[in-house]
Coordinates of all heavy atoms in Angstrom, one line a residue:
M235 N 0.8 -1.2 0.0 CA 0.0 0.0 0.0 C 0.9 1.3 0.0 O 0.8 2.1 -0.8 CB -0.9 0.0 1.3 CG -2.2 -0.7 1.0 SD -3.3 -0.3 2.3 CE -3.9 -1.9 2.7
G236 N 1.8 1.3 1.0 CA 2.7 2.4 1.0 C 3.5 2.6 -0.2 O 3.7 3.7 -0.7
N237 N 3.9 1.5 -0.8 CA 4.6 1.6 -2.1 C 3.8 2.2 -3.2 O 4.3 3.0 -4.0 CB 5.0 0.1 -2.5 CG 6.3 -0.3 -1.7 OD1 7.0 0.6 -1.1 ND2 6.6 -1.6 -1.7
N238 N 2.6 1.9 -3.2 CA 1.7 2.4 -4.3 C 1.7 4.0 -4.2 O 1.8 4.6 -5.2 CB 0.3 1.9 -4.1 CG 0.2 0.5 -4.8 OD1 1.1 0.2 -5.7 ND2 -0.9 -0.2 -4.6
I239 N 1.5 4.4 -3.0 CA 1.4 5.9 -2.8 C 2.7 6.5 -3.3 O 2.8 7.5 -4.0 CB 1.2 6.2 -1.3 CG1 -0.3 5.8 -1.0 CG2 1.3 7.7 -1.1 CD1 -0.6 5.8 0.5
N240 N 3.9 5.9 -2.9 CA 5.1 6.5 -3.3 C 5.3 6.5 -4.8 O 5.7 7.5 -5.4 CB 6.3 5.6 -2.7 CG 6.5 6.0 -1.3 OD1 6.1 7.1 -0.9 ND2 7.2 5.2 -0.5
G241 N 4.9 5.4 -5.4 CA 5.0 5.3 -6.9 C 4.2 6.4 -7.6 O 4.6 7.0 -8.5
D242 N 3.0 6.6 -7.0 CA 2.2 7.7 -7.6 C 2.8 9.0 -7.5 O 2.9 9.8 -8.4 CB 0.8 7.7 -6.9 CG -0.2 8.4 -7.6 OD1 -0.2 8.3 -8.9 OD2 -1.0 9.2 -7.0
L243 N 3.4 9.3 -6.4 CA 4.1 10.6 -6.2 C 5.2 10.7 -7.2 O 5.4 11.8 -7.8 CB 4.7 10.6 -4.7 CG 3.7 11.2 -3.7 CD1 4.4 11.2 -2.3 CD2 3.3 12.6 -4.0
I244 N 6.1 9.7 -7.3 CA 7.2 9.8 -8.2 C 6.7 10.0 -9.7 O 7.2 10.8 -10.4 CB 8.0 8.5 -8.2 CG1 8.8 8.4 -6.8 CG2 9.0 8.4 -9.3 CD1 9.4 7.1 -6.5
H245 N 5.6 9.3 -10.0 CA 5.1 9.5 -11.3 C 4.7 10.9 -11.6 O 5.0 11.5 -12.6 CB 3.8 8.6 -11.5 CG 3.2 8.6 -12.8 ND1 3.8 7.9 -13.9 CD2 2.1 9.2 -13.3 CE1 3.1 8.1 -15.0 NE2 2.0 8.8 -14.7
K246 N 4.1 11.5 -10.6 CA 3.6 12.9 -10.8 C 4.8 13.9 -10.9 O 4.8 14.8 -11.6 CB 2.7 13.3 -9.6 CG 1.3 13.0 -9.8 CD 0.4 13.4 -8.7 CE -1.0 12.9 -9.0 NZ -1.8 12.9 -7.7
V247 N 5.9 13.6 -10.1 CA 7.0 14.5 -10.2 C 7.7 14.4 -11.5 O 8.1 15.3 -12.1 CB 8.0 14.1 -9.0 CG1 9.3 14.8 -9.2 CG2 7.4 14.5 -7.7
L248 N 7.8 13.1 -12.0 CA 8.5 12.9 -13.3 C 7.8 13.5 -14.5 O 8.3 14.0 -15.4 CB 8.8 11.4 -13.5 CG 9.9 10.8 -12.7 CD1 10.1 9.4 -13.0 CD2 11.2 11.6 -12.9
I249 N 6.5 13.4 -14.4 CA 5.7 13.9 -15.6 C 4.7 15.0 -15.1 O 3.6 14.8 -14.7 CB 4.8 12.7 -16.2 CG1 5.8 11.6 -16.5 CG2 4.1 13.2 -17.4 CD1 5.1 10.3 -16.9
P250 N 5.3 16.2 -15.0 CA 4.4 17.3 -14.6 C 3.4 17.6 -15.7 O 3.7 17.4 -16.9 CB 5.4 18.5 -14.4 CG 6.6 18.1 -15.3 CD 6.6 16.6 -15.4
N251 N 2.3 18.1 -15.3 CA 1.3 18.4 -16.3 C 1.7 19.5 -17.2 O 1.9 20.6 -16.8 CB 0.0 18.8 -15.6 CG -0.8 17.6 -15.1 OD1 -0.6 16.5 -15.6 ND2 -1.8 17.8 -14.3
P252 N 1.9 19.2 -18.5 CA 2.2 20.3 -19.4 C 1.0 21.1 -19.7 O -0.1 20.7 -19.3 CB 2.7 19.5 -20.6 CG 1.9 18.2 -20.6 CD 1.6 17.9 -19.1
K253 N 1.2 22.2 -20.4 CA 0.0 23.0 -20.8 C -0.2 22.8 -22.3 O 0.4 23.6 -23.1 CB 0.2 24.5 -20.4 CG 0.3 24.7 -18.9 CD 0.5 26.2 -18.7 CE 0.9 26.4 -17.2 NZ 1.5 27.7 -17.0
P254 N -0.9 21.8 -22.7 CA -1.0 21.5 -24.1 C -1.5 22.6 -24.9 O -1.1 22.8 -26.1 CB -1.9 20.3 -24.2 CG -2.5 20.1 -22.8 CD -1.7 20.9 -21.9
Q255 N -2.4 23.4 -24.4 CA -3.0 24.5 -25.2 C -1.9 25.5 -25.5 O -1.8 25.9 -26.7 CB -4.0 25.2 -24.3 CG -5.4 24.5 -24.4 CD -6.5 25.3 -23.7 OE1 -6.2 26.1 -22.9 NE2 -7.7 25.0 -24.1
E256 N -1.1 25.8 -24.6 CA 0.0 26.8 -24.9 C 1.0 26.2 -25.9 O 1.4 26.8 -26.8 CB 0.8 27.1 -23.6 CG 0.1 28.3 -22.9 CD 0.9 28.7 -21.7 OE1 2.1 28.5 -21.7 OE2 0.3 29.2 -20.8
V257 N 1.3 24.9 -25.7 CA 2.3 24.3 -26.6 C 1.8 24.3 -28.1 O 2.5 24.6 -29.0 CB 2.5 22.8 -26.2 CG1 3.4 22.1 -27.2 CG2 3.3 22.9 -24.8
Y258 N 0.5 24.0 -28.2 CA 0.0 23.9 -29.6 C -0.4 25.2 -30.2 O -0.3 25.4 -31.4 CB -1.2 22.9 -29.6 CG -0.7 21.5 -29.5 CD1 -1.1 20.8 -28.4 CD2 0.1 20.9 -30.4 CE1 -0.7 19.5 -28.2 CE2 0.5 19.6 -30.3 CZ 0.1 18.9 -29.1 OH 0.6 17.6 -29.0
K259 N -0.8 26.1 -29.3 CA -1.3 27.4 -29.8 C -0.2 28.4 -30.1 O -0.3 29.2 -31.0 CB -2.3 28.0 -28.8 CG -3.7 27.7 -29.1 CD -4.6 28.6 -28.3 CE -6.1 28.4 -28.7 NZ -6.9 29.2 -27.8
M260 N 0.9 28.3 -29.4 CA 1.9 29.2 -29.5 C 3.3 28.6 -29.8 O 4.1 28.6 -28.9 CB 2.0 30.1 -28.3 CG 0.7 30.8 -28.0 SD 0.8 31.9 -26.6 CE 1.9 33.2 -27.2
P261 N 3.5 28.1 -31.0 CA 4.8 27.6 -31.3 C 5.8 28.6 -31.6 O 6.8 28.4 -32.2 CB 4.5 26.6 -32.5 CG 3.3 27.2 -33.1 CD 2.6 28.1 -32.1
D262 N 5.5 29.9 -31.3 CA 6.5 30.9 -31.6 C 7.8 30.7 -30.9 O 7.8 30.1 -29.8 CB 5.9 32.3 -31.0 CG 4.6 32.7 -31.7 OD1 4.3 31.9 -32.7 OD2 4.1 33.7 -31.4
K263 N 8.8 31.1 -31.5 CA 10.2 30.9 -30.9 C 10.7 32.2 -30.5 O 10.6 33.2 -31.2 CB 11.1 30.2 -32.0 CG 10.8 28.8 -32.2 CD 11.8 28.2 -33.2 CE 11.4 26.8 -33.6 NZ 12.3 26.3 -34.6
T264 N 11.4 32.2 -29.4 CA 12.2 33.4 -29.0 C 13.6 33.2 -29.4 O 14.3 32.2 -29.1 CB 12.0 33.6 -27.5 OG1 10.7 33.7 -27.2 CG2 12.7 34.9 -27.1
I265 N 14.1 34.2 -30.2 CA 15.5 34.1 -30.7 C 16.2 35.3 -30.2 O 15.7 36.4 -30.1 CB 15.5 34.0 -32.2 CG1 14.7 32.7 -32.7 CG2 16.9 34.0 -32.8 CD1 14.6 32.6 -34.2
V266 N 17.5 35.1 -29.9 CA 18.3 36.2 -29.5 C 19.0 36.8 -30.7 O 19.7 36.0 -31.4 CB 19.3 35.8 -28.4 CG1 20.2 37.0 -28.0 CG2 18.6 35.3 -27.2
C267 N 18.9 38.1 -30.9 CA 19.4 38.7 -32.1 C 20.9 38.6 -32.1 O 21.6 38.9 -31.0 CB 18.9 40.1 -32.2 SG 19.7 41.0 -33.6
K268 N 21.5 38.3 -33.2 CA 23.0 38.2 -33.3 C 23.6 39.5 -33.2 O 24.8 39.6 -32.7 CB 23.3 37.5 -34.7 CG 24.6 36.9 -34.8 CD 24.7 36.4 -36.2 CE 26.2 36.2 -36.6 NZ 26.4 36.0 -38.0
D269 N 22.9 40.6 -33.6 CA 23.6 41.9 -33.7 C 23.4 42.7 -32.4 O 24.4 43.2 -31.9 CB 23.0 42.7 -34.9 CG 23.6 42.3 -36.2 OD1 24.4 41.4 -36.2 OD2 23.3 42.9 -37.2
C270 N 22.2 42.7 -31.9 CA 22.0 43.6 -30.7 C 21.7 42.8 -29.5 O 21.5 43.3 -28.4 CB 20.8 44.6 -31.0 SG 19.2 43.8 -31.3
N271 N 21.7 41.4 -29.6 CA 21.4 40.6 -28.4 C 20.1 40.8 -27.8 O 19.9 40.4 -26.6 CB 22.6 40.8 -27.4 CG 23.9 40.2 -27.9 OD1 23.9 39.2 -28.6 ND2 24.9 40.8 -27.5
K272 N 19.2 41.4 -28.5 CA 17.8 41.5 -28.0 C 17.0 40.3 -28.4 O 17.3 39.7 -29.4 CB 17.2 42.8 -28.6 CG 16.9 43.8 -27.6 CD 15.9 44.8 -28.1 CE 16.3 45.6 -29.3 NZ 15.5 46.7 -29.8
E273 N 16.1 39.9 -27.5 CA 15.3 38.8 -27.8 C 14.1 39.3 -28.7 O 13.6 40.3 -28.5 CB 14.7 38.2 -26.6 CG 15.7 37.3 -25.8 CD 15.0 36.6 -24.7 OE1 13.8 36.8 -24.4 OE2 15.6 35.7 -24.1
F274 N 13.8 38.5 -29.7 CA 12.7 38.8 -30.6 C 11.9 37.5 -30.8 O 12.5 36.4 -30.6 CB 13.1 39.4 -31.9 CG 13.9 38.5 -32.8 CD1 13.3 37.8 -33.8 CD2 15.3 38.4 -32.6 CE1 14.1 37.0 -34.7 CE2 16.0 37.6 -33.4 CZ 15.4 36.9 -34.5
V275 N 10.7 37.6 -31.3 CA 9.8 36.4 -31.4 C 9.8 36.1 -32.9 O 9.5 36.9 -33.8 CB 8.4 36.7 -30.9 CG1 7.5 35.5 -31.1 CG2 8.5 37.0 -29.4
F276 N 10.1 34.8 -33.2 CA 9.9 34.3 -34.5 C 8.6 33.6 -34.5 O 8.4 32.5 -34.0 CB 11.0 33.3 -34.7 CG 11.1 32.7 -36.1 CD1 10.7 33.5 -37.2 CD2 11.6 31.5 -36.4 CE1 10.8 33.0 -38.5 CE2 11.7 30.9 -37.6 CZ 11.3 31.7 -38.7
T277 N 7.6 34.3 -35.0 CA 6.2 33.9 -34.9 C 5.9 32.7 -35.8 O 6.6 32.4 -36.7 CB 5.2 35.0 -35.2 OG1 5.4 35.4 -36.6 CG2 5.5 36.2 -34.3
E278 N 4.8 32.0 -35.5 CA 4.3 30.9 -36.3 C 4.2 31.3 -37.7 O 4.6 30.7 -38.6 CB 3.0 30.4 -35.7 CG 2.6 29.1 -36.4 CD 1.2 28.7 -35.9 OE1 0.6 29.4 -35.2 OE2 0.8 27.6 -36.3
G279 N 3.5 32.5 -37.9 CA 3.3 33.0 -39.3 C 4.6 33.2 -40.0 O 4.8 32.8 -41.2
E280 N 5.6 33.7 -39.3 CA 6.9 34.0 -40.0 C 7.6 32.6 -40.3 O 8.3 32.5 -41.3 CB 7.8 34.8 -39.0 CG 7.4 36.3 -39.1 CD 8.2 37.1 -38.1 OE1 8.3 36.6 -36.9 OE2 8.8 38.1 -38.4
Q281 N 7.4 31.7 -39.4 CA 8.0 30.4 -39.6 C 7.4 29.8 -40.9 O 8.2 29.2 -41.7 CB 7.8 29.5 -38.4 CG 8.6 29.9 -37.2 CD 8.2 29.0 -36.0 OE1 8.1 27.8 -36.1 NE2 8.0 29.6 -34.8
E282 N 6.1 29.9 -41.1 CA 5.5 29.4 -42.3 C 6.0 30.1 -43.5 O 6.3 29.5 -44.5 CB 4.0 29.5 -42.1 CG 3.4 28.3 -41.5 CD 1.9 28.5 -41.2 OE1 1.2 29.3 -41.9 OE2 1.4 27.9 -40.3
F283 N 6.1 31.4 -43.4 CA 6.7 32.3 -44.5 C 8.0 31.8 -44.9 O 8.3 31.6 -46.0 CB 6.7 33.7 -44.0 CG 7.2 34.7 -45.0 CD1 6.5 35.1 -46.1 CD2 8.5 35.1 -44.9 CE1 7.0 35.9 -47.0 CE2 9.1 36.0 -45.8 CZ 8.3 36.4 -46.9
Y284 N 8.9 31.5 -43.9 CA 10.2 31.1 -44.2 C 10.2 29.7 -44.9 O 10.9 29.5 -45.8 CB 11.0 31.0 -42.8 CG 11.9 32.2 -42.6 CD1 11.3 33.4 -42.4 CD2 13.2 32.1 -42.5 CE1 12.1 34.6 -42.2 CE2 14.0 33.2 -42.3 CZ 13.4 34.4 -42.1 OH 14.2 35.5 -41.9
K285 N 9.3 28.9 -44.4 CA 9.2 27.5 -45.0 C 8.8 27.7 -46.4 O 9.3 27.0 -47.3 CB 8.2 26.7 -44.2 CG 8.7 25.3 -43.8 CD 7.6 24.5 -43.2 CE 7.8 24.3 -41.7 NZ 6.6 23.6 -41.1
E286 N 7.8 28.5 -46.7 CA 7.3 28.7 -48.1 C 8.4 29.2 -49.0 O 8.5 28.8 -50.1 CB 6.2 29.8 -48.0 CG 4.8 29.1 -48.0 CD 3.7 30.2 -47.9 OE1 3.9 31.3 -48.5 OE2 2.8 30.0 -47.1
K287 N 9.2 30.1 -48.4 CA 10.3 30.7 -49.2 C 11.5 29.7 -49.4 O 12.4 29.9 -50.2 CB 10.8 31.9 -48.5 CG 9.8 33.1 -48.6 CD 10.1 33.9 -49.8 CE 9.1 35.1 -49.9 NZ 9.4 35.9 -51.0
G288 N 11.4 28.6 -48.6 CA 12.5 27.6 -48.7 C 13.7 27.9 -47.9 O 14.7 27.3 -48.1
F289 N 13.5 28.9 -47.0 CA 14.7 29.1 -46.1 C 14.8 28.0 -45.1 O 13.8 27.6 -44.5 CB 14.4 30.5 -45.3 CG 14.4 31.7 -46.3 CD1 13.6 32.7 -46.0 CD2 15.2 31.7 -47.4 CE1 13.5 33.9 -46.8 CE2 15.1 32.8 -48.2 CZ 14.3 33.9 -47.9
Q290 N 16.0 27.5 -44.9 CA 16.2 26.4 -44.0 C 16.6 27.0 -42.6 O 16.5 26.3 -41.6 CB 17.3 25.5 -44.5 CG 16.9 25.0 -45.9 CD 17.2 23.5 -46.1 OE1 18.1 23.0 -45.5 NE2 16.4 22.9 -46.8
N291 N 17.1 28.2 -42.6 CA 17.6 28.7 -41.3 C 16.6 29.6 -40.7 O 15.9 30.3 -41.4 CB 18.9 29.4 -41.5 CG 20.0 28.5 -42.1 OD1 20.0 27.3 -41.6 ND2 20.8 28.9 -43.0
E292 N 16.7 29.7 -39.4 CA 15.9 30.7 -38.7 C 16.6 32.0 -38.8 O 17.8 32.0 -39.0 CB 15.8 30.3 -37.2 CG 15.0 29.0 -37.0 CD 15.2 28.5 -35.6 OE1 16.0 29.0 -34.8 OE2 14.5 27.5 -35.3
P293 N 15.8 33.1 -38.6 CA 16.5 34.4 -38.7 C 17.5 34.5 -37.5 O 17.2 34.1 -36.4 CB 15.3 35.4 -38.6 CG 14.2 34.6 -38.0 CD 14.4 33.2 -38.4
L294 N 18.6 35.2 -37.8 CA 19.6 35.4 -36.8 C 19.4 36.7 -36.1 O 19.9 37.0 -35.0 CB 21.0 35.3 -37.3 CG 21.3 33.9 -37.9 CD1 22.7 34.0 -38.6 CD2 21.4 32.8 -36.9
R295 N 18.7 37.6 -36.8 CA 18.6 39.0 -36.3 C 17.1 39.4 -36.1 O 16.3 38.9 -36.8 CB 19.3 39.9 -37.3 CG 20.7 39.7 -37.4 CD 21.3 40.6 -38.5 NE 22.8 40.3 -38.6 CZ 23.2 39.3 -39.3 NH1 22.4 38.5 -40.0 NH2 24.5 39.1 -39.4
C296 N 17.0 40.3 -35.3 CA 15.6 40.8 -35.0 C 15.2 41.7 -36.2 O 16.0 42.1 -37.0 CB 15.6 41.7 -33.8 SG 16.5 43.2 -33.9
P297 N 13.9 41.9 -36.4 CA 13.4 42.6 -37.5 C 14.1 44.0 -37.7 O 14.3 44.4 -38.8 CB 11.9 42.8 -37.2 CG 11.6 41.6 -36.3 CD 12.8 41.4 -35.5
E298 N 14.3 44.6 -36.6 CA 15.0 46.0 -36.7 C 16.4 45.9 -37.3 O 16.7 46.6 -38.2 CB 15.1 46.6 -35.3 CG 13.9 47.2 -34.8 CD 14.0 47.6 -33.3 OE1 15.0 48.2 -33.0 OE2 13.1 47.2 -32.6
C299 N 17.1 44.9 -36.9 CA 18.5 44.8 -37.4 C 18.4 44.3 -38.9 O 19.3 44.7 -39.7 CB 19.3 43.8 -36.6 SG 19.8 44.5 -35.0
R300 N 17.5 43.5 -39.2 CA 17.3 43.0 -40.5 C 17.0 44.2 -41.5 O 17.6 44.3 -42.5 CB 16.2 42.0 -40.7 CG 16.7 40.6 -40.6 CD 15.6 39.6 -40.8 NE 15.0 39.3 -39.5 CZ 13.8 38.8 -39.3 NH1 13.0 38.5 -40.3 NH2 13.3 38.6 -38.1
K301 N 16.1 45.1 -41.0 CA 15.8 46.2 -41.8 C 17.0 47.1 -41.9 O 17.2 47.6 -43.0 CB 14.6 47.0 -41.0 CG 13.7 47.6 -42.0 CD 12.8 48.6 -41.3 CE 11.6 48.0 -40.6 NZ 10.8 48.9 -39.8
A302 N 17.7 47.3 -40.9 CA 18.9 48.2 -40.9 C 19.9 47.7 -41.9 O 20.5 48.4 -42.7 CB 19.5 48.3 -39.5
R303 N 20.1 46.4 -41.9 CA 21.0 45.8 -42.8 C 20.6 45.9 -44.3 O 21.4 46.2 -45.1 CB 21.2 44.3 -42.5 CG 21.9 44.0 -41.2 CD 22.4 42.6 -41.2 NE 23.8 42.5 -41.5 CZ 24.4 41.5 -42.2 NH1 23.7 40.6 -42.8 NH2 25.6 41.5 -42.4
K304 N 19.3 45.8 -44.5 CA 18.8 45.9 -45.8 C 19.0 47.3 -46.3 O 19.4 47.5 -47.5 CB 17.3 45.6 -45.8 CG 16.9 44.6 -46.9 CD 15.4 44.5 -46.9 CE 14.9 43.0 -46.6 NZ 13.4 43.0 -46.5
Q305 N 18.7 48.3 -45.5 CA 18.9 49.7 -45.9 C 20.3 50.0 -46.1 O 20.7 50.7 -47.1 CB 18.3 50.6 -44.8 CG 16.8 50.7 -44.9 CD 16.2 51.5 -43.8 OE1 16.9 52.0 -42.9 NE2 14.9 51.7 -43.8
E306 N 21.2 49.4 -45.3 CA 22.6 49.6 -45.4 C 23.1 49.1 -46.8 O 23.8 49.7 -47.5 CB 23.3 48.9 -44.3 CG 24.7 49.5 -44.0 CD 25.3 48.8 -42.8 OE1 24.8 49.0 -41.7 OE2 26.2 47.9 -43.0
R307 N 22.6 47.9 -47.1 CA 23.0 47.3 -48.3 C 22.5 48.1 -49.5 O 23.2 48.3 -50.5 CB 22.4 45.9 -48.4 CG 23.3 44.9 -49.1 CD 22.6 43.6 -49.5 NE 22.5 42.7 -48.4 CZ 21.7 41.6 -48.4 NH1 21.0 41.4 -49.4 NH2 21.7 40.8 -47.3
R308 N 21.3 48.6 -49.4 CA 20.7 49.4 -50.5 C 21.6 50.7 -50.7 O 21.9 51.0 -51.8 CB 19.3 49.8 -50.2 CG 18.5 50.1 -51.5 CD 17.1 50.5 -51.1 NE 16.3 49.4 -50.5 CZ 15.2 49.6 -49.8 NH1 14.8 50.8 -49.5 NH2 14.6 48.6 -49.3
S309 N 21.9 51.4 -49.7 CA 22.6 52.6 -49.8 C 24.1 52.3 -50.3 O 24.6 53.0 -51.1 CB 22.7 53.4 -48.5 OG 23.3 52.6 -47.5
N310 N 24.6 51.2 -49.9 CA 25.9 50.8 -50.3 C 25.9 50.6 -51.8 O 26.8 51.0 -52.5 CB 26.4 49.5 -49.6 CG 27.0 49.8 -48.3 OD1 27.3 51.0 -48.0 ND2 27.2 48.8 -47.5
S311 N 24.9 49.8 -52.3 CA 24.9 49.5 -53.7 C 24.7 50.8 -54.5 O 25.2 50.9 -55.6 CB 23.8 48.5 -54.1 OG 22.6 49.0 -53.8
R312 N 23.9 51.7 -53.9 CA 23.7 53.0 -54.6 C 25.1 53.8 -54.8 O 25.4 54.3 -55.8 CB 22.7 53.8 -53.9 CG 22.0 54.8 -54.8 CD 21.4 55.9 -54.0 NE 20.1 55.4 -53.4 CZ 19.7 55.8 -52.2 NH1 20.4 56.7 -51.5 NH2 18.6 55.3 -51.7
D313 N 25.8 53.7 -53.7 CA 27.1 54.4 -53.7 C 28.0 53.7 -54.7 O 28.8 54.4 -55.4 CB 27.8 54.3 -52.3 CG 27.2 55.3 -51.3 OD1 26.5 56.2 -51.8 OD2 27.4 55.1 -50.1
F314 N 27.9 52.4 -54.7 CA 28.8 51.6 -55.6 C 28.5 52.1 -57.1 O 29.4 52.3 -57.9 CB 28.5 50.2 -55.4 CG 29.5 49.3 -56.2 CD1 30.8 49.2 -55.8 CD2 29.1 48.6 -57.3 CE1 31.7 48.4 -56.5 CE2 30.0 47.8 -58.0 CZ 31.3 47.7 -57.6
R315 N 27.2 52.1 -57.4 CA 26.9 52.5 -58.8 C 27.4 53.9 -59.1 O 27.8 54.2 -60.2 CB 25.4 52.5 -58.9 CG 24.9 51.2 -59.7 CD 23.5 51.6 -60.3 NE 22.6 50.5 -60.0 CZ 21.3 50.6 -60.1 NH1 20.7 51.7 -60.5 NH2 20.5 49.6 -59.9
H316 N 27.2 54.8 -58.2 CA 27.6 56.2 -58.4 C 29.1 56.2 -58.6 O 29.6 56.8 -59.4 CB 27.1 57.0 -57.1 CG 27.2 58.4 -57.4 ND1 26.3 59.1 -58.2 CD2 28.0 59.4 -56.9 CE1 26.6 60.4 -58.2 NE2 27.6 60.6 -57.5
Ligands
ZN405 ZN1 18.8 43.1 -33.4

């Protein structure tokens, strides 16, 4: 009898109740930006967008840094042409 109670306790400790709703509803990932070390969310929608585009890698930078890099590249190429 005593053993049964103990086994039940151990079982509960080993398998804590997960929150399935959260797990399935929010598969968003939190990623730390490579440039500014800020955390940003890689949302489910963005993950699907990446998959559609065939990108295999997750973004390394937050949207702000990505935008900044894009603008930098654009101005650089403009300078190059000039
Ligand atoms: Zn950043």
Side-chain angles (χ1 to χ4, degrees):
M235 271 196 230
N237 279 343
N238 275 344
I239 290 166
N240 280 343
D242 195 39
L243 270 179
I244 288 167
H245 185 74
K246 272 181 185 163
V247 169
L248 284 179
I249 306 169
N251 276 345
K253 295 176 192 166
Q255 276 186 339
E256 272 184 28
V257 172
Y258 287 114
K259 265 193 174 177
M260 303 184 65
D262 295 357
K263 286 183 188 175
T264 302
I265 299 176
V266 177
C267 174
K268 197 183 164 193
D269 279 5
C270 65
N271 289 325
K272 245 197 297 186
E273 283 189 352
F274 65 97
V275 177
F276 187 32
T277 63
E278 185 186 7
E280 281 175 313
Q281 291 176 43
E282 269 172 29
F283 177 78
Y284 263 62
K285 231 189 254 175
E286 264 175 39
K287 291 265 179 181
F289 296 147
Q290 305 225 325
N291 297 321
E292 296 170 350
L294 297 173
R295 293 173 184 84
C296 69
E298 278 171 48
C299 288
R300 262 181 275 160
K301 214 194 277 175
R303 287 197 105 219
K304 231 187 241 175
Q305 280 176 355
E306 205 176 284
R307 215 193 278 170
R308 203 183 292 160
S309 64
N310 275 348
S311 64
R312 203 196 287 147
D313 283 346
F314 187 71
R315 254 204 229 166
H316 192 69

